Amino acid sequence: MRGLLGFLVLLAALAGGAVWMISAPDRLPAGEFADDAGGDPVHGETVFTAAGCASCHHAPESEDKLVLAGGQRFASDFGTFIAPNISPHPQAGIGAWSLHDFANALLRGVSPEGRHYYPAFPYTSYIRMAPQDVVDLWSYIRTLPEAESPSQPHEVGFPFNLRRGLGLWKQLYLDPAWITAAETDEARRGRYLVEALAHCGECHTPRDRFGGLQRDTWLTGAPAPDGKGSIPALTPDKLSWSAEDIAYYLETGFTPDYDSAGGHMVEVIDNFAQLPAEDRAAVAAYVKALPEGGIMD
């Protein structure tokens, strides 16, 4: 009996060790994203706008959306997530980070201290970002005003407050592969904007019970994370707008039915309105090319 008990304890220890190793943060190689990589802050501003950084990280009710003090609250089935301060402040923000730290956060969802970030931060989309865009974005963010407001802790209870479990979650859901095919320059630009920078799928795609995006129902609409209403589908069987209608909506917020965008989409429209017309056209072309029902081969 003692032998059996000892074997079970050993088996449990080995299983626990395996889980601990599998769930470890997957950092980028140390040689990638050196601080002397060189970035273009002018182009970085375009990346910043397309990625919607200010939409989530400016302070609630703030008139200056370039002060990235954080504090906005995002309710979900797993708890309430509070956007952190990502201004260049060396203590309250990310001013003491290196470019390598920044890239690990965006592309791997890992903090400089080696903790997993919650996927309320859309690194599941940003993982597809072009390396130079990461460098340019970092160069631009470092030009923004510092904010002294400290980041607030997320309001997440057990077991979701055990961040190590996110390492297992990433094994299932953190995938750099593109969702759709793209054969032209416009299609590739539209895909990059939708599936990476603007992270449209994070809201417009259903999630499973563990909070992972259901890629086989890509952009088919989803319940709002706060439980109030739903987010519409973008697939052609549900959205009958022309490409011109879609591009116009992304510029002005007005629908073909003379309605207007509401909720968080107002922030998204504000971002897209600042991008070149070619980018809005590329997104519209991407949406019109989606398969009905969102099912991908």
Side-chain angles (χ1 to χ4, degrees), residues 92-171:
I94 62 174
W97 287 17
S98 67
L99 171 59
H100 189 261
D101 292 334
F102 184 68
N104 267 311
L106 280 179
L107 306 180
R108 293 293 186 269
V110 178
S111 76
E113 298 78 28
R115 293 206 307 165
H116 293 295
Y117 285 122
Y118 289 104
F121 171 35
Y123 52 78
T124 48
S125 293
Y126 292 157
I127 192 174
R128 303 182 185 97
M129 284 180 66
Q132 189 60 49
D133 279 357
V134 174
V135 175
D136 293 346
L137 176 59
W138 175 240
S139 296
Y140 175 68
I141 285 180
R142 296 176 72 182
T143 71
L144 298 179
E146 296 182 4
E148 297 180 352
S149 305
S151 298
Q152 303 173 43
H154 301 304
E155 298 171 1
V156 180
F158 182 84
F160 306 116
N161 59 342
L162 302 177
R163 294 199 187 211
R164 190 74 180 202
L166 288 168
L168 301 177
W169 187 93
K170 289 177 179 179
Q171 293 290 332

Side-chain angles (χ1 to χ4, degrees), residues 42-87:
V42 175
H43 180 252
E45 182 177 10
T46 299
V47 177
F48 177 89
T49 302
C53 305
S55 300
C56 290
H57 289 279
H58 73 78
E61 310 303 329
S62 173
E63 294 184 2
D64 189 346
K65 294 185 178 180
L66 295 182
V67 179
L68 306 179
Q72 293 190 57
R73 301 169 63 86
F74 299 91
S76 76
D77 292 339
F78 305 98
T80 297
F81 300 96
I82 304 175
N85 183 331
I86 63 164
S87 79

Side-chain angles (χ1 to χ4, degrees), residues 165-186:
L166 288 168
L168 301 177
W169 187 93
K170 289 177 179 179
Q171 293 290 332
L172 296 173
Y173 302 112
L174 187 57
D175 185 351
W178 296 106
I179 311 296
T180 62
E183 298 181 358
T184 67
D185 288 344
E186 182 180 54

